[in-house]
C-alpha cells in the first residue's frame, strides 16, 4: 500500500506538467487572444497598439516558448497578472509602490465559491444520509417511492430553468428572497451578524439549485448502500439476537454504508473550487465559474492557466483519496493492488 | 403524515397567490429635491476607470460620469462647453484655441488647469502608454499652454474630426498621476475626477457606487448616489426591474412591445423610452470574392431583401431603415437618399443581366454553378434572426444561403482578419463625426484594419480625404452627402436597419426628457431627480 | 415484463422513453407545421388551437419545434454516449485485464482528463471548430468516457480473479477471446446502466450549453435553445419556458428511472 501511495505521488509531477502542457496548447488552439475583444473592433483603435500589446504579453512568441516562460514562473508559485484586468494579480494580492493593495482575482472569487460549495456539500451529505436511510429502511413503501421519485425529479431538472422560475416566484411574485447578488444594498449598515445572515439569505437559492443533482446522486447512493448492508448476514444475526431495530440501523448498518462515501468526498475535492458558470451568471455571484468562463472568452491566459493548475492539483489529490477509499472498501481490488 | 403535507402545500399555494403588493404609490409627485439613490444594472464589471486604457463599455460608462473633456456634445449633438468655455479655429483651419474656464477644481479641491490637459495629451501620445486610441492625438504637431486657461493645438494638416477627438479625451489630474505608471497605477481602481460624480464604494464583482461631487465643474447633480449592480444575465436584470430592485435597464424590443403591455402592474411603475440607437446593422459582402465583385449582384441582393420585414420581425418595428451610415436626424444624413426598396423582380432582372438563369431546382445558375454563399455572424440573437429572414427571401429568388454563427474572437481572427468569408451580418456605430476614412478608404484594407470588405472607389477615397480636412460645417456636409450617395450606389454593404435604443426606467426617476433629443435620454442624467416621497427607505446615503 | 414487477418507477421510465423515442422518430408525421417556418405576423402567440404550444420570437410553431427538438436531444444523447461508452469499454478492459504499467498509464490518462474541466474543452473545441451539433456530441463524448472506463476496469479487476476466467486462461484461450467472451458479457451491467444515465446527462449538458450560447445553433430547434430563447420573458411567454423545461425534465427523468431500475434488476446482489 505504501509503495502504491509513493508511486502515485511521484506520478503527480509529470502528470501536472502533462496537464498544464495539454491545457496550454488547447488554450492556444482557439483563435484570437486578449487583443481580440469586442472593443477591438472599434475603428478608432489602431492595429499597431494591439500589436504592441501582443508583444508585451509575449503572445507573438511560439507557443512552446510561452509555455516555458509560464512554467518557469509557476514553479516559483508566481501566477502572474491578468491580461484582461489590467495587471491585477491572478492569485494573491500585491502591493504597489504607494502601499495600495491590489487584490488577486482568484483571491476574490474563491471564497464565495468555496462557501457555496461547502454549505452545499454539508447539506447534501446530511440530507442525503437522512433521506437515503429512511428510503432504505422503509424500502418499497410509499415513503420510499416518493423520496425516490423526488430524488429523480431533482436530478432531472435543468438548473437554470428552475433557477429562473424560483427567482420569479420568490422574488418578483412574492418578496420573500432576494433575486440576485450577494448583499442587500444597505448591508454595510448591518451588524456583523446581520451581514452574515444577509449573505445567507442571498445564498439560499444559489445553493439549493447547485445542490440538487448532488443531493439526488448521494441520496441514491446511500439508499443503495444501506440496502446492501441491511441484507447482509450480520444484520440478520443482530436482529435474531434481539437487538433493537433503531440500534441496528444507526450503529451497525449506517456505519458500514457510509464508509464508501469517503470515495465520494475525495472525488468532490476538485469540485470545491469550481463554480457553475450558469448559476453564477444568473445569480450575479462573482465566483470561480464566472471568472473562468470570462477568462476563456477573453483569452486571458494567465488566469485560465492559474485556475487549471490549482484545479489539477486538487483533482489529483482528490482522485488519489477516492481510489484509496474505493480500494479499501472493496477487498477484491485491494488484493489485486497488493499483488 | 398525509394530512400534514396537504396542509403544507395548500398553505404554500395560498401564500404564493396572494397579492401582497397592495401599496399604492402615487407617481405624480414632481417636486425637485436633492438626494436619493438610483440603481441600475451592468452586465459586466468595469476593468479600468482610465478610459484611454480600458477598452470596454462598462469602464467608459462609469468613467464618463467621473471625468470631463475639453468639450462635449449637447442634446442636439452640437459641441458645447465642458472644461473649455469656448474655442476658436484659426483662419487656416490648422489651429484650435481652447479657453478653459476659471476656478475649476478636481474633486480633491486642487485646481484644474491647462497643464492637466497638456499632461493628458502627453500621456495618450506616449508610445509606452497601452492605449489603442493614440492615433487621433499623435497627429497634433504642436501644443502650447501659454497660460493656465489656454490650450492651443496645431495640426500639420487640417483635421476636421479634431473637435470630436477632444470631446472624447477625458482629462486626468497631473498632480496625482505625474509620478505614476499609467499602465499599472492604482488610480484605475480609485480615480480622482472632476465631474458630477466621484467614485464611492467599489465592491469587487458586485457593484460600483458613485456619489455626488459637490465640486463638479459642471455643477452638482440632484441624485446623491448612483449604484451600478453587476448582473451578468439579462433575464435576471429584468426580474430585478420587475421587483423594483433596480430602476433602469436597457430592454429589448420584445420586452418593450409585448411584455410590458401584458403586465399592467409592471407597466404602472415603469416608463418606457425609445430613442434613435447608436448603431446600424448591415450585410457586408466580401468584394474580393466572386460574385460579389459584381455591383449588379450586390444591388440585386439589396433589392431582394425586405428590410421592413427584418425590422418588423427582428425589432418588432422598433427601428428604421437607413441609406447612409449616419444617425437619422443629424445633418450628415443625406435626406435625398432613399434605401433600396423591396423589389424581387428588379433583383431577378439584375441577376439575369449578370448572366444567371433559373435552373430546374429553382436555383439561379451560371456556367453550371448555382448561386450560393454562406452568411456568417457572431453570437448575437438579432443578427442571427436577421440572417434567417434574409436566407428565406434570397431563397425565393433562387439564391442558396447557409448560415454560420461563430464566437466573437474566432469570428474576427479566423474569418474577418483573413478575408476568409463570403458575406457577414455585422454592425457599425452611427458615428457622431462623419469621418469614415478607417472603414471605407482603400488604404485601410490591411489585416486588422477595418475596410475588411475590400471596398475601393477612387472618387470615394478623394471625398474621404477631403472631408477630413474641411472644417467648415456646411462644406463638410456636402462632401459627406456625396460620399453617402456613392456608397449607396455601389452597395458594398446592404444597410439593414438602425435599431432604437429602448430603456425602461422606474417612474420614481423624474426629469427625463421625452421624446428623447438626438443625444438620447442620458444626456441630462445629472438633471434627473427623485422626489422625496418616492425614495427608497435609505438608511444611509454613503 | 416481469422485470418491472415491484418496480413501478422503472416501468414509468421505460414508458416515458418509449414515448419520447416514438415522438422523435415520427416527428415529421406528427408535426403540424414546418419547425423552421417563420411568420413574423405571429410572433410570441400564447398557446391556442392553431398553435397548441404557442409560437416563438420568429413566429415559428413551438409544438413542431419541440417534436423535432426531441430528435436533436436524443440524437445528441445517443451519439455522445456511444462515443464515450466505446472509448470507455476499450480503455477500461485493457486497463482491467492487463494491469501493470498499462493500467497505470490509462488511469493517469483518466486523471488528466478529469482535471481539465469539461467546459473548458468544450469551449475550446467549439471556438476552434464552430458550435455544430456534431462537434457538441463529439466533445461531450470525448469528455465523458472516464466514468465508464473506471467501472469497466473495476469489473474486470474483480472478475479476473474468478475461477472460470483463470481456468479459461490456463486452457490457452487468447486474451482477446477471454475479454470478449468471458469478461465483457459479465460486465455489461455497469456499462448499460452508465449508458442510460449518460444519455440523461448529455441532454442536460446540451441545455446548459444552449444557455451559454454554445449549444445547437439556430435555426435547428433543440429543447435547450427554445428554453434559452424564452428566458428573458418567462413572466410573459411562459410557454417558451414551460414546455421545453418539462420536456427535458421528463426525458431525463425517464432515462434516470430506467437506468437505476436496470441497475437494481441486473445487479446479482439484489436477486
Amino acid at each position: 500500500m505504501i509503495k502504491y501511495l509513493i508511486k502515485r505521488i511521484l506520478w503527480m509531477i509529470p502528470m501536472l506538467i502533462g496537464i498544464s502542457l495539454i491545457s496550454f496548447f488547447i488554450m492556444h488552439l482557439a483563435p484570437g487572444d486578449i487583443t481580440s475583444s469586442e472593443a477591438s473592433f472599434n475603428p478608432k483603435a489602431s492595429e499597431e497598439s494591439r500589436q504592441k500589446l501582443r508583444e508585451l504579453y509575449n503572445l507573438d512568441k511560439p507557443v512552446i516558448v510561452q509555455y516555458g516562460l509560464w512554467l518557469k514562473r509557476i514553479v516559483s508559485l508566481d501566477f502572474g497578472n491578468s491580461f484582461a484586468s489590467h495587471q491585477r494579480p491572478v492569485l494573491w494580492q500585491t502591493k504597489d509602490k504607494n502601499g495600495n493593495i491590489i487584490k488577486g482575482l482568484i483571491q476574490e472569487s474563491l471564497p464565495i465559491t468555496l462557501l457555496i460549495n461547502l454549505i452545499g456539500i454539508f447539506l447534501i451529505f446530511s440530507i442525503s444520509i437522512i433521506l437515503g436511510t429512511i428510503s432504505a429502511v422503509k424500502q418499497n413503501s410509499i415513503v420510499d417511492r416518493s423520496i425516490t421519485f423526488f430524488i429523480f425529479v431533482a436530478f432531472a431538472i435543468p438548473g437554470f430553468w428552475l433557477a429562473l422560475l424560483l427567482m420569479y416566484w420568490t422574488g418578483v411574485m412574492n418578496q420573500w428572497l432576494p433575486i440576485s447578488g450577494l448583499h442587500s444594498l444597505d448591508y454595510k449598515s448591518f451588524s456583523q451578524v446581520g451581514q452574515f445572515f444577509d449573505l445567507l439569505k442571498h445564498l439560499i437559492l444559489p445553493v439549493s439549485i447547485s445542490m440538487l443533482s448532488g443531493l439526488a446522486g448521494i441520496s441514491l447512493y446511500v439508499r443503495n448502500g444501506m440496502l446492501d448492508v441491511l441484507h447482509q448476514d450480520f444484520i440478520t444475526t443482530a436482529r435474531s439476537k434481539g437487538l433493537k431495530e433503531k440500534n441496528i440501523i444507526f450503529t451497525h448498518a449506517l456505519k458500514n454504508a457510509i464508509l464508501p462515501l469517503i470515495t465520494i468526498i475525495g472525488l468532490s475535492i476538485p469540485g470545491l473550487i469550481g463554480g457553475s458558470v450558469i448559476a453564477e451568471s444568473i445569480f450575479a455571484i462573482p465566483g470561480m465559474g464566472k471568472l473562468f468562463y470570462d477568462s476563456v472568452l477573453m483569452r486571458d491566459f494567465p488566469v485560465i492557466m492559474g485556475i487549471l493548475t490549482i484545479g489539477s492539483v486538487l483533482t489529483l489529490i482528490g482522485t488519489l483519496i477516492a481510489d484509496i477509499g474505493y480500494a479499501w472498501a472493496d477487498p477484491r481490488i485491494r488484493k489485486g493492488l497488493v499483488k | 403524515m398525509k394530512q400534514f403535507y396537504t396542509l403544507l402545500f395548500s398553505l404554500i399555494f395560498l401564500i404564493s397567490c396572494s397579492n401582497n403588493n397592495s401599496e399604492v404609490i402615487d407617481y405624480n409627485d414632481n417636486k425637485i429635491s436633492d438626494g436619493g439613490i438610483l440603481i441600475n444594472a451592468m452586465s459586466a464589471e468595469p476593468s479600468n476607470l482610465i478610459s484611454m486604457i480600458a477598452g470596454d463599455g462598462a469602464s467608459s460608462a462609469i468613467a464618463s460620469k467621473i471625468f470631463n473633456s475639453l468639450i462635449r456634445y449637447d442634446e442636439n449633438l452640437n459641441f458645447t462647453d465642458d472644461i473649455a468655455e469656448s474655442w476658436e479655429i484659426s483662419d487656416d483651419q490648422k489651429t484650435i484655441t481652447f479657453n478653459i474656464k476659471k476656478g475649476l477644481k478636481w474633486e480633491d479641491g486642487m485646481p484644474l488647469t491647462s497643464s492637466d490637459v497638456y499632461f493628458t495629451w502627453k500621456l495618450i501620445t506616449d508610445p509606452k502608454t497601452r492605449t489603442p486610441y493614440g492615433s487621433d492625438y499623435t497627429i497634433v504637431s504642436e501644443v502650447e499652454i501659454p497660460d493656465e486657461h489656454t490650450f492651443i493645438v496645431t495640426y500639420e494638416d487640417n483635421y476636421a474630426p479634431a473637435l470630436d477627438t477632444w470631446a472624447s479625451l477625458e482629462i486626468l489630474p497631473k498632480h496625482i498621476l505625474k509620478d505614476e505608471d499609467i499602465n499599472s497605477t492604482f488610480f484605475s481602481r480609485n480615480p480622482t475626477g472632476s465631474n458630477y460624480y466621484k467614485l464611492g464604494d467599489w465592491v469587487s464583482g458586485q457593484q460600483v457606487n458613485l456619489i455626488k461631487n459637490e465640486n463638479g465643474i459642471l455643477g452638482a447633480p440632484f441624485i446623491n448616489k448612483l449604484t451600478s449592480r453587476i448582473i451578468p444575465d439579462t433575464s435576471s436584470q429584468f426580474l430585478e426591474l420587475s421587483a423594483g430592485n433596480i430602476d433602469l435597464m436597457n430592454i429589448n424590443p420584445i420586452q418593450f412591445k409585448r411584455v410590458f403591455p401584458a403586465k399592467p402592474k409592471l407597466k404602472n411603475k415603469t416608463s418606457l423610452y425609445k430613442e434613435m440607437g447608436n448603431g446600424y446593422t448591415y450585410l457586408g459582402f466580401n468584394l474580393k470574392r466572386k460574385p460579389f465583385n459584381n455591383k449588379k449582384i450586390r444591388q440585386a441582393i439589396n433589392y431582394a431583401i425586405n428590410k421592413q420585414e427584418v425590422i418588423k420581425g427582428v425589432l418588432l418595428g422598433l427601428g428604421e431603415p437607413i441609406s447612409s451610415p449616419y444617425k437619422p436626424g443629424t445633418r450628415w444624413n443625406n435626406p435625398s437618399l432613399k434605401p433600396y426598396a423591396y423589389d424581387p423582380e428588379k433583383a431577378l432582372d439584375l441577376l439575369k443581366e449578370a448572366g444567371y438563369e433559373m435552373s430546374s431546382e429553382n436555383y439561379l445558375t451560371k456556367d453550371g454553378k448555382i448561386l450560393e454563399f454562406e452568411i456568417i455572424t457572431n453570437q448575437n440573437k438579432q443578427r442571427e434572426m436577421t440572417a434567417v429572414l434574409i436566407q428565406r427571401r434570397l431563397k425565393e429568388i433562387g439564391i442558396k444561403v447557409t448560415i454560420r454563427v461563430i464566437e466573437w474572437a474566432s469570428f474576427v481572427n479566423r474569418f474577418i482578419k483573413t478575408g476568409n468569408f463570403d458575406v457577414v451580418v455585422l454592425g457599425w456605430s452611427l458615428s457622431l463625426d462623419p469621418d469614415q476614412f478607417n472603414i471605407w478608404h482603400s488604404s485601410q484594407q490591411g489585416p486588422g484594419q477595418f475596410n475588411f470588405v475590400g471596398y475601393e472607389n477612387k472618387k470615394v477615397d478623394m471625398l474621404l480625404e477631403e472631408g477630413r480636412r474641411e472644417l467648415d460645417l456646411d462644406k463638410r456636409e456636402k462632401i459627406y452627402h456625396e460620399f453617402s450617395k456613392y456608397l449607396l450606389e455601389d452597395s458594398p454593404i446592404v444597410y439593414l436597419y438602425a435599431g432604437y435604443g429602448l430603456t425602461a426606467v422606474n417612474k420614481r426617476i423624474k426629469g427625463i426628457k421625452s421624446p428623447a433629443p438626438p443625444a438620447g435620454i442620458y444626456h441630462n442624467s445629472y438633471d434627473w431627480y427623485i422626489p422625496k416621497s418616492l425614495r427608497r427607505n435609505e438608511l444611509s446615503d454613503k | 415484463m416481469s422485470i418491472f414487477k415491484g418496480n413501478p418507477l422503472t416501468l414509468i421510465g421505460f414508458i416515458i422513453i418509449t414515448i419520447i423515442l416514438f415522438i422523435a422518430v415520427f416527428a415529421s408525421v406528427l408535426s403540424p407545421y414546418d419547425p423552421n417556418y417563420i411568420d413574423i405576423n405571429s410572433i410570441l402567440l400564447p398557446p391556442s388551437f392553431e398553435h397548441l404550444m404557442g409560437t416563438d420570437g420568429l413566429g415559428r410553431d413551438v409544438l413542431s419545434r419541440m417534436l423535432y427538438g426531441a430528435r436533436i436531444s436524443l440524437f445528441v444523447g445517443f451519439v455522445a454516449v456511444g462515443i464515450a461508452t466505446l472509448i470507455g469499454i476499450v480503455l477500461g478492459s485493457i486497463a482491467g485485464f492487463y494491469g501493470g504499467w498499462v493500467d497505470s498509464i490509462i488511469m493517469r490518462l483518466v486523471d488528466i482528463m478529469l482535471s481539465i474541466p469539461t467546459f473548458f474543452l468544450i469551449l475550446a473545441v467549439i471556438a476552434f471548430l464552430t458550435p455544430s451539433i456534431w462537434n457538441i456530441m463529439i466533445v461531450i463524448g470525448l469528455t465523458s468516457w472516464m466514468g465508464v472506463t473506471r467501472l469497466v476496469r473495476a469489473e474486470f479487476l474483480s472478475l479476473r480473479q474468478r475461477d472460470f476466467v483463470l481456468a479459461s486462461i490456463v486452457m490457452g484461450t487468447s486474451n482477446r477471446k477471454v475479454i470478449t467472451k468471458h469478461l465483457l458479457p459479465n460486465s455489461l451491467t455497469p456499462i448499460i446502466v452508465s449508458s442510460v444515465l449518460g444519455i440523461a446527462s448529455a441532454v442536460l449538458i446540451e441545455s446548459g450549453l444552449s444557455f451559454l450560447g454554445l449549444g445547437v445553433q439556430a435555426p435547428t430547434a433543440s429543447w435547450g435553445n427554445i428554453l434559452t430563447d424564452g428566458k428573458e420573458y418567462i413572466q410573459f411567454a411562459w410557454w417558451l419556458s414551460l414546455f421545453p423545461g418539462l420536456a427535458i425534465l421528463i426525458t431525463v427523468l425517464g432515462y434516470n428511472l430506467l437506468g437505476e431500475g436496470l441497475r437494481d434488476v441486473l445487479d446479482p446482489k439484489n436477486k
Side-chain angles (χ1 to χ4, degrees), chain B residues 108-121:
Chain B
D108 59 2
M110 297 292 284
L112 198 167
T113 66
S114 60
S115 34
D116 293 304
V117 183
Y118 182 71
F119 172 76
T120 309
W121 173 77

Side-chain angles (χ1 to χ4, degrees), chain A residues 5 18 21 27-28 33 73 77 96 104 109 120 148 155 164 187 209 225 234 253-254 259 281 290 318 324 326 328:
Chain A
L5 261 175
L21 194 60
M27 206 170 59
H28 280 86
D33 54 41
R73 297 181 83 167
L77 291 185
D96 75 351
S109 309
T148 313
F155 207 60
L164 287 172
Y187 87 110
I209 300 282
F234 78 95
L254 203 55
L259 286 176
S281 284
K290 189 108 210 323
I324 292 177
Y326 200 58
W328 185 35

Side-chain angles (χ1 to χ4, degrees), chain B residues 82-97:
Chain B
D82 198 345
I83 289 178
E85 62 187 358
S86 62
W87 61 97
E88 291 106 36
I89 303 177
S90 65
D91 289 330
D92 67 356
Q93 299 195 340
K94 291 195 190 357
T95 304
I96 312 179
T97 306

Side-chain angles (χ1 to χ4, degrees), chain A residues 29-33 35-50 52-54 56-57 81 83-88 94 96-105 108 112 142-143 147 160 163-169 171-190 199 202 277-287 290 293-294 296-299, chain B residues 12-13 15-18 20-21 37 39 43 45 47-48 53-57 126-136 164-165 168 179-181 183-186 188-190 201 203-207 209 225 227 229-233 235-236 238-243 245 263 265 282 378 383 407-414 416-417 426-429 438-439 447-450 452 536-540:
Chain A
L29 270 183
D33 54 41
T35 64
S36 352
S37 63
E38 193 116 10
S40 71
F41 221 60
N42 180 346
K44 285 195 171 188
S46 65
E47 176 66 10
E48 301 106 53
S49 60
R50 281 202 289 278
K52 264 197 281 172
L53 200 61
R54 259 177 238 132
L56 181 76
Y57 289 141
N81 292 341
F83 288 166
S85 303
H86 295 277
Q87 301 302 304
R88 281 188 66 187
T94 54
D96 75 351
K97 63 179 169 63
N98 297 327
N100 294 309
I101 296 179
I102 308 171
K103 293 225 156 141
L105 292 172
E108 281 185 336
I112 190 66
I142 294 277
V143 176
I147 291 182
F160 72 92
L164 287 172
L165 290 178
L166 284 178
M167 284 158 85
Y168 180 63
W169 183 46
V172 182
M173 255 178 80
N174 306 286
Q175 313 268 318
W176 296 331
L177 290 175
I179 296 175
S180 68
L182 286 177
H183 304 290
S184 303
L185 274 177
D186 43 358
Y187 87 110
K188 285 235 158 117
S189 63
F190 296 163
L199 179 63
H202 281 83
V277 53
I278 294 177
E280 287 179 15
S281 284
I282 295 187
F283 291 109
I285 294 176
K290 189 108 210 323
Y293 180 67
D294 288 343
V296 173
L297 286 185
M298 288 197 286
R299 314 287 198 263
Chain B
I12 295 179
F13 184 70
I15 295 176
S16 60
C17 289
S18 69
N20 48 8
N21 284 346
I37 305 180
I39 308 176
S43 288
E45 188 177 16
S47 61
N48 179 318
I53 302 205
D56 56 309
D126 186 339
K128 286 200 269 114
T129 303
R130 281 183 223 137
T131 173
Y133 307 114
S135 52
D136 273 332
D164 177 72
T165 67
S168 320
D179 296 318
E180 297 280 306
D181 172 11
N183 298 310
S184 58
T185 170
F186 195 65
S188 64
R189 308 263 317 167
N190 187 17
D201 194 14
V203 183
S204 197
Q206 295 182 55
Q207 54 179 250
N209 291 302
K225 187 167 163 188
T227 299
R229 288 184 52 189
I230 297 162
I231 304 176
D233 189 87
S235 7
S236 308
F238 195 63
L239 289 176
E240 295 277 19
L241 182 79
S242 310
N245 297 331
K263 299 264 161 198
K265 265 207 319 208
Y282 64 91
N378 68 316
R383 289 182 193 161
E407 182 244 340
W408 181 256
S410 306
F411 181 72
V412 169
N413 282 281
R414 288 185 66 213
I416 303 296
K417 277 198 177 156
L426 264 187
W428 284 124
S429 57
N438 289 347
I439 304 178
Q449 294 188 306
F450 299 100
F452 63 88
R536 294 195 167 82
N537 293 330
E538 294 140 17
L539 290 175
S540 69

Side-chain angles (χ1 to χ4, degrees), chain C residues 61-113:
Chain C
D61 178 52
V62 175
L63 175 60
S64 309
R65 289 180 76 75
M66 290 288 298
L67 293 176
Y68 277 86
R71 276 193 186 170
I72 299 290
S73 300
L74 292 185
F75 190 49
V76 169
F78 287 156
V79 175
V81 166
I83 296 175
T85 307
L86 200 61
I87 300 178
I89 291 179
V90 169
L91 289 181
S93 30
I94 295 178
F97 184 77
Y98 290 104
W101 60 269
V102 175
D103 178 24
S104 285
I105 293 190
I106 291 183
M107 287 317 281
R108 296 297 76 77
L109 186 61
V110 168
D111 284 344
I112 290 182
M113 285 301 291

